[in-house]
Amino acid sequence: MTVGEALKQERKNLNLTQSAMAAEVISPSFYSKVENNLHEINVNDLLAILDAHCIDIPSFFMKIDSKVKTDYFNLNTFTDRVLDIWYNKDLKQLAELQTELTKYTGNDVSFLNLQVELLTFFIKNERNAKLSDSLMQKLRAELFKQNSWSLSSLKIFRLTMRIYDLDQLTFFMASIMNKFSDFKGVNLEIVEVIAAILVNYLDNCYENNEFNQSRNVQNYLEKMPANLTLFAYKLLGRYYQALFDKNTTELTNIRQVFIDCGYQTFIQLLPK
């Protein structure tokens, strides 16, 4: 059984339409093509859909023939590994990831290779280093190709935000906020990545003294679900609002909350 056939079986068991089954993780039209084996779905989007409908993941993969299952298993935590390698600047793990990726032949392989290429650039270059024109073009092309703003594309955007100027970031922010105008049915991991992107954008606005451009993003962040997972992001949103308003009392209070919760080191990284 293929991934598409397994998804179709689960959807019918749940008595859902294709649009409902897509769970706003991918577009209904793309989901339809996955079911009909016309497109391959990347593993993060697949797992997000399964999670959204409380489908048992091991049981699902047991239905899939061994070759497909192996490919998906190898990429199960690909993007999380990319982020871990970036934070730890681990060239050995990066080399291992590159070797593993050569075994994968899915339709999203170019996007995954791009992540590794970008990761290599960020690890080996200084913070203000500029991407080559060719690599920038590849990145833009892949992000637009991933215009459904999947979990994978959102994570790679979060990782690469510093390579864009503020106008470019503002364009992408508008695209994301338009796509996720309502969080009903959206996977919580996607919501959390979006919240992290919003905070990164606010930090960029502060660095560029562009406070007016931050208002829509701050309002959007405030309206995100009242979930404890998002508490720190919402608090950081208020922190940047206080920075923009030069509200020293609010800044002190928020900094103290982080300190009381044990984040003394983190608070040193925030602008004052």
Side-chain angles (χ1 to χ4, degrees), residues 205-265:
C205 287
Y206 180 77
E207 287 184 357
N208 288 278
N209 295 312
E210 290 287 352
F211 303 154
N212 291 333
Q213 298 216 47
S214 71
R215 298 298 179 184
N216 288 339
V217 169
Q218 288 171 323
N219 291 336
Y220 181 89
L221 183 57
E222 283 287 326
K223 294 177 181 177
M224 292 183 82
N227 188 296
L228 284 176
T229 305
L230 304 180
F231 174 76
Y233 299 108
K234 284 176 167 280
L235 195 58
L236 285 169
R238 287 181 173 270
Y239 184 85
Y240 279 98
Q241 179 65 61
L243 276 175
F244 300 150
D245 294 340
K246 298 182 179 180
N247 187 335
T248 55
T249 301
E250 182 78 353
L251 286 172
T252 300
N253 290 339
I254 294 174
R255 292 177 71 89
Q256 192 59 50
V257 170
F258 280 109
I259 292 171
D260 290 344
C261 292
Y263 293 101
Q264 291 90 341
T265 302

Side-chain angles (χ1 to χ4, degrees), residues 27-229:
S27 68
S29 61
F30 187 88
Y31 175 83
S32 176
K33 291 176 181 177
V34 172
E35 268 201 9
N36 290 293
N37 301 313
L38 298 176
H39 273 320
E40 290 186 17
I41 184 173
N42 72 58
V43 67
N44 288 315
D45 289 345
L46 174 61
L47 293 176
I49 289 174
L50 298 180
D51 182 65
H53 299 295
C54 300
I55 297 169
D56 184 71
I57 293 173
S59 298
F60 179 87
F61 280 100
M62 287 294 292
K63 300 177 183 180
I64 301 169
D65 69 66
S66 59
K67 179 182 184 303
V68 176
K69 185 163 54 180
T70 299
D71 283 345
Y72 273 86
F73 175 77
N74 288 341
L75 288 175
N76 193 11
T77 58
F78 180 87
T79 308
D80 289 331
R81 288 178 65 190
V82 165
L83 293 172
D84 287 340
I85 292 169
W86 158 243
Y87 291 134
N88 295 310
K89 305 295 188 292
D90 193 332
L91 290 173
K92 180 180 178 181
Q93 289 294 322
L94 175 59
E96 292 177 2
L97 187 60
Q98 288 173 313
T99 300
E100 290 181 26
L101 188 54
T102 62
K103 303 174 184 177
Y104 182 64
T105 58
N107 286 347
D108 55 349
V109 67
S110 63
F111 188 54
L112 301 179
N113 276 316
L114 176 61
Q115 292 188 48
V116 172
E117 191 174 354
L118 288 166
L119 184 60
T120 303
F121 174 86
F122 289 137
I123 289 178
K124 293 184 176 180
N125 290 278
E126 298 294 329
R127 176 177 175 82
N128 294 324
K130 299 295 184 181
L131 289 180
S132 66
D133 289 342
S134 61
L135 187 53
M136 179 66 86
Q137 288 175 359
K138 286 169 63 176
L139 176 58
R140 288 175 178 169
E142 286 294 339
L143 283 177
F144 279 113
K145 188 188 300 182
Q146 303 278 338
N147 60 9
S148 62
W149 286 112
S150 65
L151 181 59
S152 292
S153 57
L154 287 166
K155 282 185 174 182
I156 195 64
F157 179 61
R158 178 181 66 180
L159 177 67
T160 60
M161 287 179 73
R162 68 180 175 87
I163 69 176
Y164 297 103
D165 63 34
L166 187 58
D167 287 340
Q168 291 170 325
L169 284 177
T170 300
F171 172 80
F172 282 122
M173 295 306 300
S175 174
I176 292 171
M177 291 189 294
N178 181 63
K179 165 66 180 177
F180 297 98
S181 58
D182 184 353
F183 287 101
K184 184 179 180 180
V186 179
N187 179 270
L188 182 58
E189 188 175 3
I190 289 178
V191 178
E192 185 176 2
V193 174
I194 291 173
I197 289 171
L198 298 175
V199 172
N200 287 347
Y201 177 80
L202 293 176
D203 185 69
N204 194 288
C205 287
Y206 180 77
E207 287 184 357
N208 288 278
N209 295 312
E210 290 287 352
F211 303 154
N212 291 333
Q213 298 216 47
S214 71
R215 298 298 179 184
N216 288 339
V217 169
Q218 288 171 323
N219 291 336
Y220 181 89
L221 183 57
E222 283 287 326
K223 294 177 181 177
M224 292 183 82
N227 188 296
L228 284 176
T229 305

